Amino acid sequence: MEPKAKSGVAMASAMALHFFGYEFARGSNMALFTSSKFGFANSGSYYPLAMTCVSPVSMILLLSYGRQIDSQGPRKALRNTTFLCISLLFSFGVAVKAIQSNDMFTNTKILSFTISQLVIFVSFIFQNSYA
């Protein structure tokens, strides 16, 4: 396979993984964000606040991606950011599983959030900003 074709296949595969992760996380994040037990259904509307945080986080992710392209090249930048997205989505999944199996996380507060709300809030922002 020619180098251009090989790089095209690699980029298409990375984008497929990227959008698979986004679609996989989108439905579950929205359901958790609006749930009454783990999310914000009983706490007023935090949705506008979360969506306001998406743009700055997107800009930070884009700037860090640009720096990686400049310093390490496109191949490593694509590999690193794909691995970052997969790792964070997996970590959020593990955290949500721990939250669901332990009521301590739904009752313990940090600032005005419970631990479960904080994890779901950060997960929601990341999921909406990395796409």
Side-chain angles (χ1 to χ4, degrees), residues 53-68 81 84 125-126 129-130:
C53 295
V54 168
S55 290
V57 172
S58 294
M59 187 58 99
I60 290 167
L61 290 173
L62 184 61
L63 288 172
S64 67
Y65 181 70
R67 286 187 183 145
Q68 280 193 26
T81 55
L84 172 75
I125 290 171
F126 175 75
S129 64
Y130 92 89

